[in-house]
Amino acid sequence: MKIKVIPCRFCGSVEHVRKHGSGKSTKMQRYYCTDCVKTFQVKYIYNVSQPEVSLTEEIAPKKHSTQAAPQPQRYAEMAGA
């Protein structure tokens, strides 16, 4: 039987990583590192959860446009009143 070695994605430790249940919605295997006391998964299905993606990059609008953003109209103006 081949044993799978999983390194911690935070501190890189291999010897002190153990299984730690499964994710709530994805049912994917989670791991726990006793060195840095953090939990992680090897594979994520949501892009924001990836280690190299930050939340601000995913949500923040790009500021490269030179045109002004259209202003929202009021309901009365849209209804023609």
Side-chain angles (χ1 to χ4, degrees), residues 42-78:
V42 175
K43 182 180 176 187
Y44 291 91
I45 61 169
Y46 303 112
N47 288 333
V48 177
S49 300
Q50 297 293 338
E52 61 272 355
V53 176
S54 71
L55 186 59
T56 56
E57 290 176 1
E58 190 73 23
I59 296 174
K62 303 294 182 202
K63 295 184 179 182
H64 299 290
S65 177
T66 57
Q67 296 178 342
Q71 297 296 321
Q73 295 179 348
R74 295 183 179 192
Y75 181 75
E77 293 173 358
M78 292 172 42

Side-chain angles (χ1 to χ4, degrees), residues 8-73:
C8 174
R9 69 176 245 211
F10 298 104
C11 68
S13 175
V14 177
E15 299 169 353
H16 299 105
V17 175
R18 61 179 173 86
K19 289 185 176 182
H20 191 66
S22 60
K24 291 180 184 178
S25 63
T26 61
K27 308 295 185 221
M28 298 179 86
Q29 181 66 53
R30 295 189 54 76
Y31 296 93
Y32 177 77
C33 177
T34 56
D35 282 346
C36 63
V37 192
K38 293 187 179 183
T39 60
F40 61 96
Q41 291 178 201
V42 175
K43 182 180 176 187
Y44 291 91
I45 61 169
Y46 303 112
N47 288 333
V48 177
S49 300
Q50 297 293 338
E52 61 272 355
V53 176
S54 71
L55 186 59
T56 56
E57 290 176 1
E58 190 73 23
I59 296 174
K62 303 294 182 202
K63 295 184 179 182
H64 299 290
S65 177
T66 57
Q67 296 178 342
Q71 297 296 321
Q73 295 179 348

